[in-house]
Amino acid sequence: MTEAWTLGDDDDDLAGALSGPVRVRVPAKINLHLGVGPLRSDGYHELHTVYHAISVYDEVTARAGDTLSLTMQGEGVGELELDDSNLIIRAAHALAATAKVPAQARLHLRKTIPLAGGLAGGSADAAATLVALDALWGTGLGRDELARIAATLGSDVPFLLYGGTALGTGHGEAVSPVLARANRWHWVVAFADGGLSTPRVYGELDRMRAAGTAPAPLNSSDDLLSALRQRDPAVLGAALGNDLQAAALSLRPALADTLDVGDKAGALASLVSGSGPTCVFLARDEAHGADLAQALRESGLCRGVQQAYGAVHGARIG
Ligand code: C5P
């Protein structure tokens, strides 16, 4: 099995083309802190965020082929376009162009991460594709070069190459690892019906800020980073924050009821994940997570509820 990448590893183990199928598992991300700054002239908002990879996974398998093709199973079948607009296909073309190899492979996606859910599922699939095809084609590109390609595909894609817990700046594409103490944090993830468009949620935040109805923006992530250095989930819970939450709630007011169920059931924190509509809840431990998950299921408000933990590795073969 290929070792996971962590910032600072070298890439020797990925050099050389593989003949057989390459299967890559990639996690979803949540944002422990999502501070949204002003809208830039390039259409992105300046971010200070803390990414955290959790144990909800998609899987991309790459096999040798004469053309580039994509099939899928699981979440979003029939909804997700499998043509050139798909981030997986775009990732394949971007890698092929950089590595100067023909874009030929048979790709298959097994999807668990919901579409437009605020968990960066599409970005995760793009990151998995880069890792899988890098190995299948034996491109010999270094990790930094893959991260550079990743940044052209989406703000969250570089983080999903690395996983763990990391600070994101710029528009989210500049990542550096957070040296948190080895600790497992327990989460409950509540999936909602339907997705929320990320640009729409950012646009709603801009509208609310212009109208003076948005909450005060988050301060720096210093409190969150110091909470991560401790082992107390209650301390972490008090430090979580998401500037996009008010905008997601404005577009989808019913999410407040889901957050309420978590609060009343004793979650240490209840918050919208990224641009939503997925909600995440911090538990004291796994047993507490099971109780929270049961309360959320019994509420009948969620399409699905899953326990998860973090931080986990980013896209990796195996
Ligand atoms: O980078 P990505 O393609 O995932 O971003 C999707 C959209 O989300 C952008 O086109 C933009 O409208 C919005 N966005 C933003 N500021 C960011 C990241 C994303 O406004 N930092």
Side-chain angles (χ1 to χ4, degrees):
M1 185 186 286
T2 302
E3 278 305 301
W5 284 358
T6 50
L7 296 176
D9 278 357
D10 62 39
D11 304 315
D12 293 347
D13 52 353
L14 290 180
L18 298 183
S19 52
V22 182
R23 201 179 67 217
V24 173
R25 202 162 73 134
V26 66
K29 68 85 193 154
I30 61 176
N31 302 78
L32 305 180
H33 173 101
L34 180 45
V36 180
L39 178 61
R40 311 189 319 194
S41 57
D42 63 2
Y44 286 102
H45 294 74
E46 196 65 27
L47 294 190
H48 49 102
T49 189
V50 178
Y51 291 114
H52 184 70
I54 60 168
S55 59
V56 176
Y57 297 102
D58 279 358
E59 190 183 274
V60 172
T61 305
R63 294 181 169 80
D66 299 332
T67 58
L68 185 62
S69 64
L70 173 61
T71 52
M72 75 169 290
Q73 68 190 92
E75 272 289 319
V77 168
E79 272 177 85
L80 185 62
E81 300 287 351
L82 300 178
D83 59 12
D84 284 359
S85 66
N86 189 293
L87 216 44
I88 288 180
I89 299 292
R90 287 171 48 202
H93 282 301
L95 181 67
T98 304
K100 299 191 171 47
V101 298
Q104 295 174 338
R106 287 184 292 139
L107 297 163
H108 183 71
L109 168 65
R110 279 180 55 178
K111 196 148 186 62
T112 304
I113 308 172
L115 307 188
L119 294 168
S123 301
D125 300 341
T129 302
L130 292 177
V131 172
L133 291 179
D134 178 60
L136 185 76
W137 293 340
T139 70
L141 294 177
R143 185 191 57 244
D144 289 348
E145 187 66 7
L146 284 198
R148 196 197 57 72
I149 301 169
T152 69
L153 297 165
S155 309
D156 300 330
V157 184
F159 168 69
L160 289 156
L161 287 176
Y162 301 119
T165 303
L167 205 57
T169 53
H171 60 86
E173 86 292 358
V175 287
S176 55
V178 168
L179 298 174
R181 285 169 73 172
N183 198 27
R184 184 171 275 202
W185 305 103
H186 294 274
W187 304 94
V188 177
V189 186
F191 305 114
D193 274 321
L196 270 177
S197 144
T198 304
R200 232 185 120 213
V201 176
Y202 274 101
E204 178 67 3
L205 179 63
D206 292 338
R207 190 197 62 74
M208 292 172 73
R209 283 181 171 172
T213 56
L218 290 177
N219 291 322
S220 79
S221 51
D222 291 354
D223 286 351
L224 189 274
L225 295 175
S226 110
L228 276 171
R229 286 191 286 271
Q230 304 175 42
R231 284 182 188 273
D232 185 349
V235 173
L236 182 68
L240 299 175
N242 178 3
D243 276 344
L244 288 179
Q245 177 159 315
L249 289 174
S250 167
L251 295 173
R252 194 71 73 79
L255 292 179
D257 299 332
T258 304
L259 296 177
D260 225 36
V261 172
D263 286 340
K264 294 211 168 91
L268 300 177
S270 308
L271 85 164
V272 170
S273 174
S275 52
T278 305
C279 293
V280 291
F281 304 86
L282 181 61
R284 278 193 303 277
D285 50 32
E286 196 172 349
H288 183 216
D291 292 344
L292 293 177
Q294 190 178 346
L296 285 156
R297 280 190 198 104
E298 284 171 357
S299 76
L301 295 173
C302 314
R303 183 167 67 89
V305 178
Q306 194 175 324
Q307 282 186 260
Y309 59 87
V312 299
H313 290 288
R316 71 189 295 194
I317 296 171

